[in-house]
Amino acid sequence: MKLRLAVLLAGGVIALAACSPTKAAQPTPVAGSTSATSTSTSSSSAAPSSSSAAPTSSSTKTATNGPVQPPNPGTPAPAGSPGWKLTQGNTGLAAHGLNCDSLPAYTGPSSPAAGTVISGKRVEQALTLFAGNITIEKSCIRPTKLNEAAPLVTTNGPCGSNSCQVTSAPVTIRDSNIDGSKLSAGTIAKSCAFLGVGTLQRNYISGMGSGICFYNTGHSLDGLAEGNYVRGLRTAGDAHNDGATVRDFPLDRNAGRKLTFRNNRIDCSTGQDTGALFIQTYGGDIDNVTVEGNLLEGGGYQLGLESSHGNQYGRNMRSINNRFTGSGWGAAYVTANGVGYKWAVWQDNFLLDMNAADAKGKPAGSP
């Protein structure tokens, strides 16, 4: 029986656990069990609210001695490039002529203060960005040690018996690498590269169990994953893996907030795949999500939409102009569980054919 992935809040810690569908064609995960682990989150209080703009130079605490000037600039993907035009060479550090080993070590705290900018650094520890109003750019986050199943980067704050605090101010990670290669597969098989809510742009993400995990997103901040390349995920034991996932994004306190996956390339090919992008209402309701211009690759269903665990996805879920490599399970599926509606917009989605105009192969039928 195929296993699927769900997120489990156990003992105040977010970990990844295997789940089993009741039907292959219409999977309905049931939360499994996992051993609780601890993260290295600080007990600092919530950061003050601020706008979504990046910190200005007059109020930031910088972690560099000046702007990054790569000696041999690479070639970033042109602005607006769809996911099927992304490569390891035109995303992340490589696009700017940089690599992890060429960067000076970051010596700041694992829980940086609000207003911090980390630029052009090699970060060899996991980061807790709960203070918010933090920017990381042209850096390499490559921890050398990590608690099992802990995220490499999180915006979560202190955890109680069944929940973790949510950052109240924006976090941005751009033009960087998030790299789990210095950790064992057993350590990172149930780890996310990024866990929480924030803006991730043009990053190269590889070497951990799952990639971008929007979970514990709170009630106010937008989320954006744009121009990222996620690949090279690893697994071990009973872990199952997502290239990217959404587990909650409620609109009950801010009807205008939105979550966007735009122009990413997301490959989940561990052999124990949930799928490239798995949207499931495990932690709360989900709405106002747009999935546009992405290339979704790997095993499992490459795009899943599930109403489950007593929560529902909403009426503004949109999938537009995506490409799928196809798999034995199929490109996409929906588990409505009584909701009565599916994708509000399913438009111009195709199987990938790089020899065709705009890589449009056969249409990916509406699930």
Side-chain angles (χ1 to χ4, degrees), residues 190-275:
K190 297 181 180 180
S191 295
C192 294
F194 173 87
L195 179 65
V197 62
T199 294
L200 288 85
Q201 294 176 296
R202 303 178 300 274
N203 301 295
Y204 180 72
I205 298 170
S206 65
M208 61 291 300
S210 293
I212 300 168
C213 302
F214 285 111
Y215 181 44
N216 204 36
T217 62
H219 299 270
S220 60
L221 296 174
D222 290 347
L224 173 64
E226 181 178 43
N228 304 286
Y229 185 11
V230 179
R231 65 170 298 276
L233 302 179
R234 296 184 292 154
T235 196
D238 65 351
H240 276 235
N241 312 99
D242 301 330
T245 189
V246 182
R247 300 306 175 94
D248 60 59
F249 199 76
L251 307 183
D252 54 334
R253 302 181 197 174
N254 179 5
R257 72 189 300 228
K258 58 186 180 294
L259 175 59
T260 305
F261 283 87
R262 180 188 299 121
N263 297 338
N264 303 283
R265 182 175 180 179
I266 304 174
D267 182 2
C268 188
S269 301
T270 67
Q272 298 183 180
D273 312 306
T274 301

Side-chain angles (χ1 to χ4, degrees), residues 260-295:
T260 305
F261 283 87
R262 180 188 299 121
N263 297 338
N264 303 283
R265 182 175 180 179
I266 304 174
D267 182 2
C268 188
S269 301
T270 67
Q272 298 183 180
D273 312 306
T274 301
L277 177 52
F278 182 43
I279 303 173
Q280 183 199 60
T281 61
Y282 181 87
D285 293 342
I286 296 173
D287 203 359
N288 272 9
V289 178
T290 298
V291 180
E292 182 174 9
N294 304 282
L295 171 57

Side-chain angles (χ1 to χ4, degrees), residues 46-135:
S49 177
S50 68
S51 68
S52 59
T56 61
S57 59
S58 62
S59 62
T60 59
K61 299 177 182 179
T62 180
T64 75
N65 293 319
V68 174
Q69 298 291 337
N72 297 299
T75 305
S81 295
W84 48 95
K85 294 188 177 181
L86 301 185
T87 67
Q88 183 175 351
N90 65 17
T91 53
L93 292 175
H96 301 277
L98 301 170
N99 62 67
C100 289
D101 293 330
S102 70
L103 299 177
Y106 168 75
T107 58
S110 61
S111 298
T116 297
V117 173
I118 300 174
S119 184
K121 296 292 183 178
R122 185 181 72 254
V123 183
E124 298 186 330
Q125 58 187 319
L127 292 175
T128 299
L129 307 181
F130 173 65
N133 209 19
I134 295 170
T135 297

Side-chain angles (χ1 to χ4, degrees), residues 10-15 35-42 126 128 145-151 154 159 164 187 191:
V13 178
I14 297 172
S35 58
T37 60
S38 60
T39 63
S40 58
T41 57
S42 71
T128 299
K145 61 182 180 179
L146 189 74
N147 290 329
E148 185 176 337
T154 185
C159 296
C164 298
T187 297
S191 295

Side-chain angles (χ1 to χ4, degrees), residues 342-367:
K342 299 183 179 180
W343 291 95
V345 178
W346 181 272
Q347 177 182 319
D348 295 330
N349 297 301
F350 295 89
L351 297 183
L352 180 73
D353 183 350
M354 292 303 294
N355 295 317
D358 205 20
K360 293 181 178 178
K362 295 180 180 179
S366 177

